[in-house]
Amino acid sequence: MSCTLQRLRQMDIRKGVVSLATGAGAIYLLYKAIRAGIRCKPPLCSASPICIARKCPRPGERALLELPTHQASSVGGPKGLAIERERHGRDSGELRRLLNSLECKQDEYAKSMILHSITRCVYLLESEASACTNEDIALVGSMLDDKDNSVKIQALNTLKAFSGIRKFRLKIQEHSVKVLELISTIWDSELHISGLRLLNNLPLPDFVHPQLRRVMPALMEILQSDYILAQVQAVRLLSNLAQKNDLLYDILNCQVHSNFLNLFQSTQPGSLLFEVLVFAERLSEGRSSPHYRAVKWHYNEQSVHEALFGDDSRLADRLLALVIHPEEDVQIQACKVIVSLQCPQDVGVRPSCPPSHSCFNHGE
């Protein structure tokens, strides 16, 4: 009996030892996993084409990154960001890598994200952007032929960013005709905004004027749409074109909707009202110039000219209402339009402004 009890005790002891060993093993494995997780560090260099802020450390910098904070700061700290390298006069190479990746075969989403990152780099990394070449501009411009609209939009934004660098403007101008084609054939408000912003940031050469005449109706449609940002960009472009003698008649004779004067309602956003008033002032000054008045012009019944300056136009009423607009710049610009309507540009050579050139009667 005593022998049996002794054997049972030995078996219990063995089971306890096995359980203890098993538990210790599990705890040890858990410890190793936690320790490995703590030691695991994210990769110091990302191959992702959409990365802008992270930069691979140069030789000797990995050790610097692993220093305690106080030691790293005492020697200048890690310069891991592309912007930090730019600020310290060091080329991060980020923009060049993005442009190189754009040359590789990518899907539409990847191309769109790469172009977006290139745009950010151009704005943030000035010296690297200035070091780019006309071949890089041509590469970005080739993306305007992509079948995906999002890629086109991002390419337009990238060209707009590069247009801030003077040496690239002539090269970017070569894409003006393509940009006008996109604006006039694709009805997409984001594309309109991006394309028009680019055109408004460029001096448009004379060789683009024939294409501008062809897209004038599309620009007027965008102006009369319900997308405020696109409307503002469209009317800014039209205001600039109104100062071109060979395009003035094309603008004035362009057909518009019957409610065109709704653009001058006081309920419109102040930013749009101001730009529309600038447009009206430039048209008024242009049509009153001796050069323009030397020719007898004929206009469509539903043209911009008839809507603004025709015998049945109600522009005067809209302008008088805008004189008391809450925004001061709108008030001032409305007064400028009234003055331009009252007196032609060549008033200086005559004693007074003839009543025939005024849209306001004596009572008003």
Side-chain angles (χ1 to χ4, degrees):
M1 182 69 179
S2 61
C3 182
T4 302
L5 291 173
Q6 186 175 2
R7 287 180 180 177
L8 290 174
R9 287 173 184 172
Q10 289 176 353
M11 290 175 64
D12 289 339
I13 291 171
R14 287 174 183 173
K15 288 181 180 178
V17 170
V18 170
S19 299
L20 181 60
T22 303
I27 293 172
Y28 177 72
L29 291 175
L30 180 62
Y31 161 75
K32 286 188 69 176
I34 294 174
R35 187 167 178 265
I38 293 174
R39 285 188 172 183
C40 181
K41 295 180 181 178
L44 291 170
C45 177
S46 173
S48 171
I50 63 174
C51 175
I52 180 175
R54 187 174 292 278
K55 173 70 177 69
C56 295
R58 295 187 178 184
E61 288 186 353
R62 183 181 294 272
L64 180 60
L65 290 173
E66 295 177 351
L67 286 175
T69 305
H70 68 280
Q71 294 184 36
S73 60
S74 65
V75 292
K79 307 295 190 304
L81 296 180
I83 301 173
E84 286 292 323
R85 294 192 184 282
E86 172 84 6
R87 191 162 55 187
H88 289 81
R90 299 161 64 187
D91 190 344
S92 71
E94 184 70 28
L95 182 53
R96 176 50 53 195
R97 283 197 301 275
L98 289 168
L99 288 166
N100 290 341
S101 65
L102 190 62
E103 291 180 330
C104 304
K105 187 175 181 180
Q106 307 278 359
D107 59 29
E108 278 69 25
Y109 176 77
K111 283 188 284 190
S112 179
M113 294 305 296
I114 292 170
L115 286 165
H116 177 69
S117 294
I118 291 174
T119 302
R120 295 178 62 194
C121 277
V122 173
Y123 285 125
L124 297 174
L125 309 177
E126 183 178 352
S127 64
E128 291 187 37
S130 298
C132 291
T133 65
N134 284 336
E135 286 72 23
D136 297 322
I137 303 300
L139 173 64
V140 174
S142 68
M143 297 294 120
L144 297 177
D145 294 317
D146 195 273
K147 62 182 180 180
D148 189 82
N149 281 353
S150 64
V151 175
K152 293 186 179 78
I153 291 169
Q154 294 301 333
L156 290 168
N157 292 337
T158 304
L159 290 174
K160 163 65 167 57
F162 273 116
S163 69
I165 302 174
R166 185 180 298 275
K167 72 174 186 176
F168 294 132
R169 288 187 178 178
L170 285 176
K171 187 64 178 177
I172 297 174
Q173 281 179 355
E174 297 177 6
H175 300 283
S176 299
V177 173
K178 180 63 178 180
V179 175
L180 288 169
E181 178 190 330
L182 294 176
I183 291 172
S184 60
T185 57
I186 301 176
W187 194 256
D188 183 299
S189 60
E190 291 298 321
L191 187 143
H192 291 163
I193 293 168
S194 297
L196 290 167
R197 278 177 173 165
L198 171 59
L199 294 175
N200 283 326
N201 207 46
L202 291 173
L204 294 178
D206 292 343
F207 70 80
V208 182
H209 288 192
Q211 179 71 2
L212 284 167
R213 291 190 183 91
R214 287 191 289 270
V215 305
M216 205 69 72
L219 293 175
M220 284 297 174
E221 284 297 325
I222 297 172
L223 173 57
Q224 297 170 95
S225 67
D226 294 326
Y227 302 101
I228 301 300
L229 293 177
Q231 289 176 282
V232 168
Q233 294 300 323
V235 74
R236 281 180 182 171
L237 179 59
L238 288 167
S239 294
N240 292 332
L241 300 180
Q243 297 176 297
K244 309 286 186 181
N245 290 331
D246 60 330
L247 294 175
L248 180 58
Y249 174 74
D250 297 280
I251 298 174
L252 286 169
N253 196 43
C254 194
Q255 188 170 341
V256 294
H257 300 166
S258 58
N259 61 349
F260 182 74
L261 286 182
N262 286 352
L263 291 169
F264 295 85
Q265 285 184 338
S266 58
T267 54
Q268 296 283 5
S271 58
L272 177 60
L273 268 177
F274 176 80
E275 298 293 346
V276 168
L277 289 167
V278 171
F279 179 47
E281 180 191 14
R282 291 183 179 175
L283 289 178
S284 178
E285 291 175 347
R287 66 186 284 269
S288 301
S289 66
H291 175 80
Y292 192 80
R293 289 166 56 204
V295 179
K296 181 67 174 178
W297 302 101
H298 298 279
Y299 304 98
N300 294 320
E301 292 183 0
Q302 294 181 327
S303 64
V304 173
H305 181 276
E306 294 304 300
L308 296 180
F309 313 116
D311 294 336
D312 298 326
S313 175
R314 304 301 301 172
L315 177 62
D317 298 334
R318 301 295 170 88
L319 292 174
L320 291 173
L322 293 178
V323 170
I324 57 173
H325 191 272
E327 297 186 29
E328 185 179 1
D329 57 346
V330 173
Q331 295 177 18
I332 295 172
Q333 193 57 44
C335 292
K336 288 182 178 180
V337 178
I338 292 173
V339 171
S340 70
L341 291 172
Q342 290 282 64
C343 302
Q345 275 193 323
D346 57 342
V347 65
V349 299
R350 291 177 293 178
S352 62
C353 301
S356 59
H357 290 287
S358 173
C359 290
F360 297 85
N361 60 39
H362 295 292
E364 290 176 334

